[in-house]
Amino acid sequence: MEQNELLERITDAVRACGEIILQADRSKGCIDEKAGHANFVTTYDRKVQQQLQERLLRILPEAVFVGEEEDSHAAVAEGYAFIVDPIDGTTNFIKDYHMSAISVGLARDGERYMGVVYNPYLDEMFTAVKGQGAHLNREPIHVSSEPLSNGVVLFGTAPYYEELSRKSFEMAYDYFRQALDVRRSGSAALDLCSVAAGRAELFFELRLCPWDFAAGSLIVEEAGGRVTTAEGGALTLNQPCSLIAVNGVGI
């Protein structure tokens, strides 16, 4: 299948699943807890994931599907793999705080190949194809050219990783002293896209899973930014890691 057609069909599937989020009834009866403090999953996470799995595998039947809400995850080192977070920002979704996204990364032979992140509340569809640049609603986007001293820093710290909380806020304070200000949205996928779109200059989080960043990290890179682990290493799609995304201007 031709690249543009593949991306178009993926974005159509993601947009359709966004309707599930928009029409959701966020009653308490839809919420379950997972391991760790304030780690939630809703019936809508599962509904969106099921719909995405059905739709995406119709588009690319040879791909494996790796979704956050699965109990076990397929290997992604060979062939095509969809790496999916059905609702990134579940607590935001529960609270009707409109910073949640569907994140779909497509890997090819273990490398990030396509990325789609969709905020249905704002109807913002971020996309990237390896080597083809990044786009928001079909318009090209690029990271900002501002130094950190004139920039905004985004960060995440999941409450269920309690051992990382203090260090995360200490890092945020250090960046706060160097930048204009800091923000915490509750969605790593959308924070990455904000860096890609030039809305912020840096994003960090000390532990993310591949479905959190498989799409957004490619979007940042294709927008001209740089993404590494906090230690400066390469991202990996087979296990959690830390992440820092920057606009490429020295910090």
Side-chain angles (χ1 to χ4, degrees):
M1 187 184 305
E2 194 268 333
Q3 247 182 17
N4 290 339
E5 180 187 356
L6 178 57
L7 181 63
E8 188 75 18
R9 292 183 65 182
I10 292 171
T11 57
D12 286 347
V14 169
R15 192 181 301 277
C17 290
E19 287 298 313
I20 300 173
I21 295 174
L22 292 176
Q23 297 172 15
D25 174 9
R26 287 167 302 278
S27 66
K28 290 187 178 180
C30 78
I31 303 168
D32 293 325
E33 290 194 22
K34 298 193 287 187
H37 172 63
N39 190 9
F40 301 112
V41 60
T42 72
T43 55
Y44 292 100
D45 292 84
R46 298 187 178 102
K47 284 181 182 179
V48 172
Q49 180 162 300
Q50 180 182 0
Q51 282 293 311
L52 282 170
Q53 184 168 8
E54 292 174 4
R55 289 172 180 271
L56 294 174
L57 293 183
R58 281 201 298 267
I59 297 168
L60 208 59
E62 64 269 35
V64 298
F65 184 91
V66 178
E68 178 181 9
E69 307 310 334
E70 294 176 311
D71 292 329
S72 61
H73 300 106
V76 302
E78 296 181 0
Y80 286 105
F82 287 109
I83 305 174
V84 173
D85 193 336
I87 304 180
D88 185 59
T90 296
T91 300
N92 289 348
F93 169 74
I94 291 167
K95 301 298 290 183
D96 199 24
Y97 185 79
H98 291 180
M99 284 294 290
S100 301
I102 297 172
S103 177
V104 175
L106 178 62
R108 185 171 62 179
D109 295 329
E111 300 293 329
R112 289 164 295 142
Y113 174 54
M114 288 187 179
V116 174
V117 174
Y118 182 52
N119 181 344
Y121 300 108
L122 297 179
D123 193 26
E124 289 192 331
M125 182 76 73
F126 296 89
T127 59
V129 178
K130 185 71 172 178
Q132 301 296 320
H135 295 80
L136 167 56
N137 293 345
R138 301 179 183 272
E139 295 296 323
I141 55 175
H142 199 274
V143 295
S144 85
S145 57
E146 297 289 344
L148 186 62
S149 59
N150 198 33
V152 170
V153 172
L154 311 176
F155 77 105
T157 172
Y160 38 88
Y161 299 140
E162 294 181 67
E163 71 278 13
L164 298 176
S165 297
R166 183 176 294 277
K167 183 178 180 182
S168 298
F169 279 95
E170 287 172 350
M171 286 180 64
Y173 179 67
D174 287 342
Y175 281 127
F176 171 73
R177 296 183 66 189
Q178 300 176 59
L180 292 178
D181 210 340
V182 298
R183 303 281 186 270
R184 174 152 161 44
S185 77
S187 168
L190 289 177
D191 284 346
L192 285 164
C193 290
S194 290
V195 173
R199 298 170 178 174
E201 282 60 43
L202 184 150
F203 164 70
F204 78 88
E205 189 155 351
L206 295 182
R207 185 178 296 156
L208 289 170
C209 291
W211 44 81
D212 298 315
F213 63 77
S217 60
L218 179 64
I219 294 170
V220 171
E221 290 175 346
E222 288 300 314
R226 186 174 74 251
V227 186
T228 65
T229 66
E231 299 75 28
L235 302 182
T236 174
L237 293 177
N238 58 13
Q239 63 185 8
C241 64
S242 59
L243 183 149
I244 293 183
V246 297
N247 63 352
V249 179
I251 60 172

